[in-house]
Every structure is written in C-alpha cells, then in structure tokens.
C-alpha cells in the first residue's frame, strides 16, 4: 500500500482536530503529516502517532511535497490557498463549501455519489457536501431511492458548534452569565441564544438546496429548507418530509441502513445529548426515528434524525472521501 504526505488546514479547529484523531486510526499509511492552523495557534504541539507535531503557518507550506490536503478552516483561507495547492500537484479536499457550486469541481458525498471522485482530475480539487446535506441525503438514501424524490422539506435545528469554537464559547458564556443572574452578552450572535431559539440565517439555505440538486442530479427537485439555531452545543437534528415519484414502503432494509451509516431507532428516539455522549465514539452514525407516513398527506413520509456535526458529518465524511479517493482513484 502506498504511503502519503498529508496536510490538514484548520488543524486547531473543531473539525480539523477531530480529523487528526481519525487519521491516526485510519487505514491510510501516512508518511508525513503537516498541521496548519490559525496565526494564534502557530507553534502549538499536537501528539500524533507517538510523535510531537508542531502546528505551522500556512505560508510555510511547500505544497509540492504534499499528496493531499484537507481544507477545514474557513472559506477565505480556501479561496486564497486551495487552488495554489492544487496547481502545485497536491489534491485538495475542501470542507468549506467555497467550491460546492462550481461545475468544474466534483461535489461529493461518500456512499451516495462516490463515483464523482474520478472528476478530481479537473482541477485537483474535491468539494465535500455541507453537513446538513450529508445528514439529509445519507439518511434518505438508507430509506428510499433519492433519485425518485419529487418533493423534499428539511427543518434544521442547528447547534452552536456549526459556527465553530466562537459559537460554542458564546453559548457557554451566555449560559453561565444567565445562571448567575447576569444579563447575557451578545458578543457573537446578534441576540441571546442561551435558553432561546433564533433563525439561522448563516446556514445558507440556497447552498443546501443547490448542493442536494447537484448530488442527486435532479435540478428540478422541489426543496424547501428551514433552519433554526437552538441552544445546543453539539449535534445536528433534522426533521425531514419527502414525497417520491413512485410508491414507497416504510419497511426498513437493514443492509441499506448499515451501508449508509444509519441506525433506525424504533423503541426510543435520539437526541443530541445521547448521540454526542455515545460511549463508543468510533461508532459514529446517523440515528433516525419516527419514520412514518404523514397523517395529513399519505403520499408524504416523515422522520427525524440526529448526528454529530463535528466528528461524523465533519471529520468522518472528510476521511471517507480521502480513503476512497486515495485507494480507488489515485493509488
């Protein structure tokens, strides 16, 4: 098996940190790992495979020495450096969404449209799906033929961690102040999030809709999306309803569920707390419950799902993309 030189941009962030942990236990043979962080994390030490790795500044990176790089920082960083890395011969896997609607760059969700990875050669860049898109399409692919969808509605209950460490720290600070009888400080969110619900305007409903259409190949699919920011630190919850163009049974297929990393819960229901506090974090999954026909519309099927938006929808999906790319399309 080939060995690889890999870099992680955003290694000090939530998804980047989780990805580094997963890389240590992955099936990839890593010859050298470069960790690239923000300015304030430069020089920090990270333990990996028994060695101390120093986080470096992105301007110190020689992309020609790298086989593959994950961009898990922000869109500004990807926009400035991703094509530079790709033009130096390094394959880029981007998690920021900056290239998601670029028709020359494949938008990939492993296990759903994995064959698009062969198009990485267009620009040496692969864009991975938004976490909300990943959760919705993987759970639906385990339950129905997504190519036959005619209508789709998604309600996202978005955790603070969707907005990075700043979102988590802001919710923690607001909660602490309120519990101590002090007014909440709106230093990150424009209104109080703790013990409250806010419309989530930063999730980009247009991006979600167009990414789903690109991945399914159905550009006429009727999709509506609602997103609410809830006072939860980690764990994305979705309520989904869909209509298929062919008759559909709600009988479950255990093989499909396993294939897409989905567990169907029939005697209980998942919550962000139970999913994130899973005692076996390596068993990262999407948990689906309340799968049923709509009471008011028998053609419509509804369900809810919960998953870890950092470890699974973020880091795990990135790693699966890399493993498939390096093993099946490059190795």
């Amino acid at each position: 098996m080939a060995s690889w030189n890999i870099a992680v941009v955003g290694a000090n962030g939530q998804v980047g940190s989780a990805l580094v942990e997963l890389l240590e236990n992955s099936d990839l043979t890593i010859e050298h790992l470069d960790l690239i962080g923000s300015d304030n994390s430069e020089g920090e030490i990270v333990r990996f495979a028994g060695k101390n790795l120093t986080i470096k500044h992105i301007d110190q990176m020689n992309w020609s020495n790298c086989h593959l790089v994950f961009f898990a920082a922000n869109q500004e960083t990807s926009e400035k450096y991703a094509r530079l890395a790709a033009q130096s011969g390094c394959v880029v896997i981007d998690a920021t969404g900056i290239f998601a609607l670029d028709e020359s760059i494949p938008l990939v969700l492993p296990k759903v449209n994995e064959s698009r990875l062969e198009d990485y050669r267009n620009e040496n860049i692969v864009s991975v799906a938004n976490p909300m898109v990943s959760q919705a399409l993987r759970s639906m692919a385990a339950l129905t033929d997504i190519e036959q969808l005619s209508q789709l509605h998604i309600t996202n209950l978005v955790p603070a961690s969707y907005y990075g460490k700043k979102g988590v720290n802001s919710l923690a600070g607001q909660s602490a102040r309120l519990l101590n009888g002090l007014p909440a400080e709106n230093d990150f969110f424009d209104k109080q999030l703790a013990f409250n619900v806010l419309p989530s305007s930063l999730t980009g409903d247009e991006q979600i809709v167009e990414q789903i259409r690109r991945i399914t190949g159905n550009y006429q699919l009727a999709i509506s999306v609602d997103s609410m920011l809830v006072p939860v630190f980690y764990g994305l919850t979705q309520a989904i309803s869909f209509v298929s163009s062919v008759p559909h049974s709600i009988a479950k297929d255990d093989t499909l569920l396993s294939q897409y990393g989905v567990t169907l819960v029939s005697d209980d229901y998942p919550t962000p707390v139970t999913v994130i506090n899973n005692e076996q974090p390596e068993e990262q999954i999407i948990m689906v419950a309340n799968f049923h026909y709509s009471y008011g519309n028998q053609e419509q099927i509804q369900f809810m799902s919960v998953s870890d938006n950092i470890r699974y929808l973020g880091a795990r999906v990135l790693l699966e993309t890399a493993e498939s790319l390096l093993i099946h399309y490059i190795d």
Side-chain angles (χ1 to χ4, degrees), residues 73-116:
N74 52 58
Q75 291 192 343
E76 292 77 11
T77 300
S78 291
E79 187 173 29
K80 183 176 180 180
Y81 292 98
R83 279 196 165 92
L84 178 63
Q87 290 164 4
S88 299
C90 183
V91 178
V92 170
I93 299 180
D94 183 72
T96 70
I98 191 69
F99 305 110
L101 303 186
D102 187 328
E103 290 294 335
S104 66
I105 293 174
L107 175 64
V108 174
L109 175 55
K111 305 183 187 297
V112 175
N113 70 335
E114 205 161 297
S115 61
R116 289 297 312 276

Side-chain angles (χ1 to χ4, degrees), residues 163-181:
Y163 298 82
K165 290 181 178 179
K166 290 183 178 179
V168 171
N169 292 338
S170 180
L171 176 57
Q174 288 183 356
S175 302
R177 288 182 64 86
L178 289 168
L179 290 172
N180 283 281

Side-chain angles (χ1 to χ4, degrees), residues 1-7 23-24 26-35 48-53 61 65-68 70 326:
M1 180 180 292
S3 57
W4 307 100
N5 294 337
I6 293 176
L23 282 169
E24 187 166 6
S26 74
D27 293 331
L28 299 177
T29 302
I30 301 175
E31 179 71 22
H32 181 77
L33 180 65
D34 281 300
L35 303 182
F48 179 84
K51 299 179 181 178
N52 289 330
L53 303 184
M61 188 64 191
N65 292 332
C66 182
H67 298 114
L68 180 142
F70 298 95
L326 294 177

